[in-house]
Amino acid sequence: MSRFDQLPPGDLFKALEVASPSDDLPQINALLDAVRFNEGGLLPAIAQQFDSGEVLMMAWMNREALEETLTTQRVCYYSRSRQKLWRKGETSGQQQQLKSAALDCDGDTLLLQVDQTGPACHTGRRSCFYVSLSNEHAAITSEPLIDPATLYGKK
Amino acid sequence: MSRFDQLPPGDLFKALEVASPSDDLPQINALLDAVRFNEGGLLPAIAQQFDSGEVLMMAWMNREALEETLTTQRVCYYSRSRQKLWRKGETSGQQQQLKSAALDCDGDTLLLQVDQTGPACHTGRRSCFYVSLSNEHAAITSEPLIDPATLYGKK
């Protein structure tokens, strides 16, 4: 039992603001009921390489994708363009093994620590964040590790 | 001049997929015209502590917030609840100094490298991502550095 068990889902994250590492938290299903998916039923999920700290990508999850990710330890997103579950690496082979996951203070964003096989980006680059912007100029910051035509079986 | 200058904004990020660090990119305003803000005119922005790699928070920017951030080097978001620009730290003093910024491959997410003064989270914790989730249980992973009542002048 947890002192947070009796709360309605809409009040849980507010109550957790003052919780401590020593507190017992509600069961996972109660947490998932309280996650603030957006009006499309989706949650932004940031993937960070667990050992180097590099931020690899941001994609979206619905509740089913989040539950599958926690169960299988293999990261599954929801593809907004294809409107279906997207098991990262299912075409390219570039999977993400889940190391840990954490929700933010208001329960509407997820941070994943992952072990990424090869490039995370569909362009063949390690990270999706390669268009740097400053006040003066923009620049490309990385080259593909692998030709995307190879990744997606077009070669 | 850049070989990407003649492209309509909707085609720019697709064309940049094959660009290299040696390429001249379009002027910043052309990049900003191509950024894929969502239907609410907003872009998710991830803030990462530049030296430790810790992911601190995710918030939203409109074009005005992004332009101000690049110009002043002090991170400015758009508060969806208050519906106005939110200069991070304006109430709490916990500012973010911009070190660098990068858009992702499809131009719809921003990664900021920042130097965060004190806690990034309104709960007084260093990072907003403190509710860890696994298949078996949830836990709080950090304590506040500072009482939020002190941060927000209620004490």
Side-chain angles (χ1 to χ4, degrees), chain A residues 17 19 48 53 103 122 125 131, chain B residues 17 19 48 53 103 122 125 131:
Chain A
E17 291 184 2
Q48 181 176 32
L103 289 161
H122 77 288
R125 292 175 178 85
V131 183
Chain B
E17 292 184 0
Q48 181 177 33
L103 288 161
H122 76 288
R125 292 174 178 84
V131 183

Side-chain angles (χ1 to χ4, degrees), chain A residues 18-116:
Chain A
V18 294
S20 289
S22 59
D23 275 311
D24 284 328
L25 260 53
Q27 297 292 310
I28 287 294
N29 272 338
L31 258 293
L32 293 177
D33 288 344
V35 169
R36 292 171 56 212
F37 294 97
N38 70 12
E39 62 287 348
L42 301 177
L43 181 76
I46 302 159
Q48 181 176 32
Q49 174 65 27
F50 81 102
D51 47 5
S52 69
E54 185 173 22
V55 176
L56 300 168
M57 58 182 285
M58 198 278 271
W60 297 83
M61 289 186 173
N62 61 7
R63 179 164 173 160
E64 189 181 356
L66 175 53
E67 289 183 341
E68 177 172 317
T69 297
L70 295 175
T71 303
T72 64
Q73 306 282 296
R74 186 176 149 193
V75 180
C76 175
Y77 299 102
Y78 180 84
S79 167
R80 294 179 300 174
S81 55
R82 286 177 279 150
Q83 298 197 303
K84 60 174 195 166
L85 293 183
W86 160 34
R87 292 169 187 95
K88 175 71 181 161
E90 63 194 346
T91 310
S92 65
Q94 312 300 312
Q95 300 182 8
Q96 292 178 344
Q97 182 74 27
L98 184 70
K99 295 288 186 176
S100 64
L103 289 161
D104 72 344
C105 47
D106 49 6
D108 67 0
T109 307
L110 186 69
L111 176 63
L112 307 167
Q113 301 290 333
V114 304
D115 193 11
Q116 168 72 54

